[in-house]
Amino acid sequence: MSIRRGGGRLWKISIPIVVFFVLIAASAAWLQNRAGVIRDELAAATDLMSQLKDDVASKDALAASSATGELRAHTAAAREAANDPLWTLATAIPGIGANFGAISEVTRSAEDVAVLGISPLVDIFSTLKWEKLVPGSSGADLEAIQEAAPRIASAAHAVRESTNRLNAISVEGLLPQVSEPLIEAREELAATVGPLDAAASTTSLVPAMMGSDAPRNYLLMIQNNAEVRSSGGIPGALAVLTLEGGKMSLTAQSSAADVGSMSPTLAVDPEQKQIYTARLGKYMQDVNLTPDFPTAASTAQAMWERKTGQRVQGVLSIDPVVLSYLLSATGPISLNDSELAAGVGLPPELTSENVVSTLLSDAYVKIKRPEDQDKYFAGVAREIFASLSEGRGDALKLVDGIVKGVGEGRVLVWSDSSSEQAILAKYPIGGSITGPSVAPAQFGVYFNDGTGAKMDYYVKRTVQLLGTCSKDGYAQTVVRVISTNTAPPDAATTLPAYVTGGGVFGVPPGTVQTNLVAYGPAQAHVETADVDGQKTNFAPHKHGDRPVAVLAMRLAPGETKSVDFTFDKIVQHTEPNLVVTPTLQPVNEVILPSKTATCG
């Protein structure tokens, strides 16, 4: 009897144990099911993101809206699975609970990004009348931009908050199946935050900067890449661009030569004066010897106002390559009147294909007098901006062209409003050499003409970052600059003296002299400079907390030289970034992929 009683007790005890293990097994199966749902829904959402990018790129608003709806459905389903009570309980399990918590946070962020970030942006994209967002005969629709600004700012905030939440999750101890997707999600969001913040800043700035409250005058500098300067080229052609209520007009036109020299010379930053000489404050042609655009722009503003007495509230800089992007949107401009054609055989119309070669080469060969060249350039600028102010062409292509120019460093903006400039300084369009727009491990290579002519039209360059190791095993970075003078062998006699310089500044005709300026990251040190493998002297400087090396180089026609600047003591543990003077070449042909090295 006692045995039977004991067996009965055992049976009674076994029942809850069995039920417990059945529940554990069922719970595990259910959690596995939820994990599968989350995995599949987030994978579908990721696939849709690629499709959505394509839809936006192709300007297909209907397809973009449809893809957004599907995206929201998938992220909502993933979030619902992660909100399951059993999943929530699992986050408290010692040891493995952090994995469930991390996945929950990823689903939450995915839904927030879809609902609060992507959805309103696609709605704005679908409803905005793009042709009314750019200056035209009736002016840009600044009210539409003002209405969109809060929604874009809200979307940017949502994505930024999601990024911060994911960045706060420690990957230590997480399973690889969880940590790897988490890291990928961080990287995806990090790549999105910058452009969204820029869009939010742009929509907040644009109305006032386009004259919504009061007319704005901007000094327009068209940088001439045939005579290279750090930010592109000498600011040869000048004009005042007036914006009022979204309407645009090109008013006073001039040239750097007309501005003349400043006496007394304008005061400039002592560090930059040491690197680039007092010419920064003496000649308009030299204000952008420095790559720091706020310095160049504020100096140009002061020169213009001293010379003309006309007040300008900011400076805008573009180059002929940007003009080619604008002409892709507006279509060709006619140059049939006698003042523009000048009877010298230049094209009767300028297109996106011929504007660069015409302005930076043919015009110098066929128009002999510099004052007539200036007149021709002024006429071209007037015609192009007239077509823009009349609203000709494709508005979306125009926006694309401007965005492309900004991305290549060919469009730069400075405002003398401290609040506006504080925002511009956060982004590459501000052209700052130090501050929040500069990446932690940013290198820079800038070119300044030393020929005193227009020979940079013939120079081809590549720049590359190469990881190397020092003798003691520490990582270093070599900035390699390879330059070739492609001018014909007989350039000294076949090219005009205005193009070659005619030897006036001590450089033989046909030869190109360039001052190479290499910047390292903050707190780094420039160790050596080599020309074709041979160590050579260079001038070391500091600009803020960034090291600077300056080296003069000459190239005879057909000659190629390679210069290596070696930087060490680089403390930033991030991927290196490289900024180079925009030239006539496509940026992707100048900046080559970086190569790293494993040391130690």
Side-chain angles (χ1 to χ4, degrees):
M1 293 291 292
S2 63
I3 294 175
R4 286 195 297 272
R5 283 197 298 273
R9 285 196 298 271
L10 182 62
W11 175 248
K12 290 177 182 178
I13 293 171
S14 300
I15 288 174
I17 292 174
V18 171
V19 170
F20 174 76
F21 280 109
V22 169
L23 288 174
I24 289 294
S27 298
W30 181 246
L31 289 173
Q32 187 176 10
N33 172 271
R34 296 295 83 192
V37 170
I38 292 170
R39 181 193 63 237
D40 293 344
E41 295 294 346
L42 290 182
T46 300
D47 292 341
L48 275 168
M49 283 299 298
S50 298
Q51 177 187 328
L52 182 58
K53 289 177 183 178
D54 292 340
D55 293 337
V56 172
S58 61
K59 313 298 186 295
D60 191 336
L62 186 62
S65 296
S66 175
T68 302
E70 293 182 50
L71 179 68
R72 292 181 61 170
H74 286 299
T75 56
R79 179 67 175 147
E80 183 181 359
N83 277 343
D84 183 90
L86 199 56
W87 189 280
T88 303
L89 285 173
T91 63
I93 299 174
I96 64 169
N99 292 279
F100 292 97
I103 293 172
S104 294
E105 199 56 66
V106 169
T107 62
R108 176 189 173 191
S109 294
E111 186 175 32
D112 283 353
V113 169
V115 175
L116 304 176
I118 295 172
S119 188
L121 290 175
V122 170
D123 182 55
I124 292 169
F125 168 78
S126 303
T127 57
L128 278 179
K129 293 179 173 57
W130 291 89
E131 68 279 2
K132 293 186 177 181
L133 297 183
V134 294
S137 55
S138 59
D141 186 358
L142 300 182
E143 288 186 6
I145 299 175
Q146 290 169 319
E147 289 173 4
R151 297 169 68 192
I152 295 174
S154 178
H157 176 76
V159 174
R160 196 182 316 111
E161 286 299 301
S162 294
T163 303
N164 292 339
R165 288 200 305 269
L166 293 188
N167 287 340
I169 300 173
S170 173
V171 296
E172 297 241 352
L174 296 182
L175 296 170
Q177 300 93 316
V178 177
S179 62
E180 291 172 6
L182 172 60
I183 292 170
E184 290 177 8
R186 286 175 174 175
E187 292 173 349
E188 286 284 340
L189 288 183
T192 306
V193 168
L196 275 181
D197 281 343
S201 296
T202 299
T203 51
S204 69
L205 282 179
V206 161
M209 293 189 72
M210 291 186 67
S212 62
D213 302 324
R216 290 287 189 98
N217 291 326
Y218 296 92
L219 179 64
L220 173 66
M221 303 193 309
I222 301 180
Q223 297 198 40
N224 185 328
N225 315 88
E227 187 171 345
V228 74
R229 290 289 186 272
S230 286
S231 60
I234 61 166
L238 305 172
V240 173
L241 187 66
T242 300
L243 294 168
E244 182 174 6
K247 294 182 180 180
M248 177 176 67
S249 60
L250 204 63
T251 54
Q253 288 188 270
S254 185
S255 68
D258 288 340
V259 174
S261 63
M262 297 293 106
S263 182
T265 301
L266 298 178
V268 294
D269 170 54
E271 275 190 332
Q272 296 185 71
K273 180 179 178 180
Q274 187 176 28
I275 303 171
Y276 303 105
T277 77
R279 295 177 67 89
L280 280 177
K282 189 172 183 64
Y283 301 104
M284 180 70 79
Q285 295 94 324
D286 293 329
V287 295
N288 58 339
L289 285 170
T290 173
D292 189 64
F293 189 68
T295 299
S298 58
T299 306
Q301 177 201 45
M303 287 184 178
W304 180 262
E305 292 182 355
R306 180 187 287 189
K307 172 68 176 181
T308 67
Q310 182 182 19
R311 174 82 174 136
V312 292
Q313 288 81 31
V315 178
L316 170 65
S317 175
I318 61 176
D319 67 7
V321 177
V322 173
L323 294 181
S324 75
Y325 299 159
L326 300 182
L327 288 174
S328 291
T330 65
I333 58 166
S334 175
L335 301 173
N336 286 326
D337 70 58
S338 58
E339 181 184 1
L340 297 181
V344 294
L346 289 172
E349 66 177 19
L350 290 181
T351 68
S352 59
E353 288 78 22
N354 70 9
V355 65
V356 173
S357 59
T358 299
L359 292 182
L360 300 185
S361 179
D362 297 345
Y364 295 122
V365 173
K366 297 184 177 182
I367 302 177
K368 305 304 180 184
R369 297 197 311 163
E371 55 269 34
D372 290 337
Q373 294 165 1
D374 291 342
K375 184 182 295 186
Y376 178 77
F377 296 145
V380 170
R382 186 168 58 249
E383 290 297 317
I384 291 177
F385 279 87
S387 69
L388 291 174
S389 64
E390 292 167 9
R392 298 183 212 165
D394 187 312
L396 281 174
K397 283 186 178 180
L398 179 60
V399 172
D400 286 345
I402 294 172
V403 169
K404 185 178 181 181
V406 171
E408 295 176 348
R410 302 181 188 279
V411 177
L412 299 169
V413 181
W414 174 81
S415 170
D416 71 352
S417 162
S418 58
S419 59
E420 292 174 355
Q421 183 56 28
I423 296 175
L424 291 171
K426 295 179 181 179
Y427 303 103
I429 194 171
S432 298
I433 210 66
T434 59
S437 68
V438 178
Q442 181 159 301
F443 292 83
V445 176
Y446 307 102
F447 311 116
N448 280 315
D449 172 67
T451 317
K454 302 296 185 286
M455 286 297 294
D456 281 293
Y457 183 82
Y458 298 97
V459 181
K460 305 298 180 188
R461 302 178 174 96
T462 62
V463 184
Q464 187 174 30
L465 299 181
L466 302 172
T468 65
C469 301
S470 64
K471 292 179 180 178
D472 51 8
Y474 289 101
Q476 297 177 320
T477 298
V478 169
V479 179
R480 176 165 294 169
V481 185
I482 300 177
S483 308
T484 301
N485 181 356
T486 68
D490 58 354
T493 56
T494 58
L495 294 178
Y498 190 77
V499 173
T500 66
V504 171
F505 295 99
V507 180
T511 294
V512 179
Q513 179 160 310
T514 306
N515 292 317
L516 304 182
V517 185
Y519 277 64
Q523 302 177 35
H525 175 71
V526 57
E527 187 73 17
T528 59
D530 298 69
V531 177
D532 292 335
Q534 299 296 315
K535 279 189 171 45
T536 188
N537 293 328
F538 66 95
H541 298 281
K542 280 282 188 179
H543 187 166
D545 55 1
R546 298 183 66 183
V548 181
V550 181
L551 175 67
M553 181 184 67
R554 283 190 180 186
L555 293 172
E559 187 176 15
T560 295
K561 286 184 180 179
S562 177
V563 178
D564 285 355
F565 296 98
T566 300
F567 290 86
D568 62 6
K569 299 180 182 177
I570 299 167
V571 298
Q572 290 81 6
H573 301 289
T574 59
E575 285 297 313
N577 181 53
L578 177 60
V579 176
V580 177
T581 294
T583 66
L584 301 179
Q585 296 169 255
V587 172
N588 61 358
E589 291 182 8
V590 177
I591 300 179
L592 303 181
S594 300
K595 294 183 179 180
T596 58
T598 302
C599 305

